[in-house]
Amino acid sequence: MRLSRKSDYAVRAVRYLATLPEGGRGSISTIAEGEAIPREFLAKILKDLTQAKILKAYKGVSGGYQLSKPPTKITFLEVIEAIDGPIKLSLCTDTRASNLHRRAANDELCKFWKAQEQKIVKTLKSQTFGKFRGKTKR
Amino acid sequence: MRLSRKSDYAVRAVRYLATLPEGGRGSISTIAEGEAIPREFLAKILKDLTQAKILKAYKGVSGGYQLSKPPTKITFLEVIEAIDGPIKLSLCTDTRASNLHRRAANDELCKFWKAQEQKIVKTLKSQTFGKFRGKTKR
């Protein structure tokens, strides 16, 4: 069980921007270096986060990426879901996967995964990037 | 964030055997059909679980797979770890991945993932297959 690599990096990229002074911008290069994220992969991630309106992209010399709202208003959940879609812990809770979910309603195992999924979603929804504000990263 | 497909199926395969009367055996075909697992993939999974001594394999006409201990003694955690190795939620908690973990000790984000990982491990360790004993699956 693990976070996808793409989501893992996305959370780190947003954390990087959250540590900057309010309204601060980061370039692909500074974020990639600051968080040890492969540059090409990061470019795709920043594009996804911009499309999801979590980031704003600016062009030009003083361009870069900026959080589109205060870090306290951005949850871990929305960043992860912007990258991977809704969290589905098991095949049986994933209505997009096969037809397993159809017979899952009375399946005790599936109920267990569903309950775990709900706990994780609740935790990730309660976590915002506010706690990183104004901190140097490490 | 999700369970690997292989672990997801492995838990289902063990659950299938746990529902059988004590000492019951299941063939690849009956498990594959009972749990809707692709047969070839299941063969690999059963091999891994046998190597991990969670299952015993029997050859011949009355052959098949059997749990190597009572379902109450098999945890979800050991089945998942037999398939995927130790649970590592994030790159930063994975000492096998890159060198991120070395600078992770004081990283607030990594501490968060570590705490979540520990919660998940604790939950999976507390769950055994005993609850499926003697039940028809669904």
Side-chain angles (χ1 to χ4, degrees):
Chain A
M1 193 177 313
R2 75 181 307 154
L3 206 55
S4 76
R5 192 158 288 219
K6 199 174 177 189
S7 281
D8 204 333
Y9 285 146
V11 171
R12 295 231 306 278
V14 173
R15 182 268 294 268
Y16 182 91
L17 294 173
T19 62
L20 301 177
E22 204 181 320
R25 295 180 190 174
S27 68
I28 294 193
S29 300
T30 56
I31 302 170
E33 193 176 326
E35 295 286 349
I37 303 173
R39 202 179 182 287
E40 299 272 298
F41 198 21
L42 177 62
K44 287 181 198 152
I45 291 166
L46 295 175
K47 201 177 157 196
D48 286 356
L49 294 175
T50 304
Q51 273 175 350
K53 301 195 192 312
I54 293 167
L55 304 185
K56 281 186 213 166
Y58 294 88
K59 292 185 176 168
V61 185
S62 63
Y65 291 87
Q66 187 184 64
L67 301 183
S68 66
K69 45 190 174 177
T72 51
K73 301 283 185 195
I74 304 174
T75 70
F76 279 33
L77 184 66
E78 72 184 286
V79 170
I80 292 170
E81 292 197 338
I83 298 295
D84 289 331
I87 288 177
K88 295 294 171 191
L89 213 54
S90 161
L91 285 174
C92 75
T93 68
D94 191 349
T95 52
R96 298 166 301 184
S98 68
N99 57 1
L100 272 182
H101 66 280
R102 273 188 255 144
R103 59 180 196 185
N106 294 314
D107 183 322
E108 204 169 334
L109 182 53
C110 194
K111 281 184 204 161
F112 169 76
W113 292 127
K114 188 73 196 169
Q116 299 310 308
E117 186 180 290
Q118 284 167 343
K119 271 203 274 183
I120 290 170
V121 165
K122 195 176 164 192
T123 301
L124 294 175
K125 205 170 179 174
S126 73
Q127 294 291 318
T128 78
F129 289 85
K131 61 182 167 190
F132 303 116
R133 192 153 53 173
K135 292 198 180 177
T136 47
K137 293 187 318 301
R138 54 182 73 84
Chain B
M1 193 176 315
R2 73 181 309 153
L3 208 54
S4 76
R5 192 160 288 220
K6 199 174 176 188
S7 282
D8 203 334
Y9 286 145
V11 171
R12 295 229 308 275
V14 174
R15 182 267 295 267
Y16 182 91
L17 295 172
T19 62
L20 301 178
E22 205 181 318
R25 295 180 191 174
S27 68
I28 294 194
S29 300
T30 56
I31 302 170
E33 193 176 327
E35 294 287 349
I37 303 173
R39 203 178 182 287
E40 299 272 298
F41 198 20
L42 178 62
K44 287 182 198 152
I45 291 166
L46 296 174
K47 201 177 157 196
D48 287 356
L49 294 174
T50 304
Q51 274 175 351
K53 299 195 193 313
I54 293 166
L55 304 185
K56 280 187 211 163
Y58 293 89
K59 291 183 177 170
V61 185
S62 63
Y65 291 87
Q66 187 183 65
L67 299 183
S68 67
K69 45 189 173 178
T72 50
K73 301 283 187 195
I74 304 174
T75 69
F76 279 33
L77 184 67
E78 73 184 287
V79 171
I80 292 170
E81 291 197 338
I83 298 294
D84 289 331
I87 288 177
K88 296 294 173 190
L89 211 56
S90 161
L91 286 173
C92 75
T93 69
D94 190 349
T95 53
R96 298 166 301 184
S98 68
N99 58 1
L100 272 182
H101 66 282
R102 274 189 254 143
R103 61 179 194 184
N106 294 312
D107 183 322
E108 204 169 334
L109 181 53
C110 195
K111 281 184 204 163
F112 169 74
W113 292 126
K114 188 75 196 167
Q116 297 312 307
E117 186 179 291
Q118 284 167 343
K119 269 202 277 183
I120 291 170
V121 165
K122 194 177 166 192
T123 301
L124 295 175
K125 205 171 179 173
S126 74
Q127 294 292 317
T128 79
F129 289 85
K131 62 182 165 188
F132 303 116
R133 191 154 51 175
K135 291 199 181 178
T136 47
K137 294 187 315 305
R138 53 183 72 84

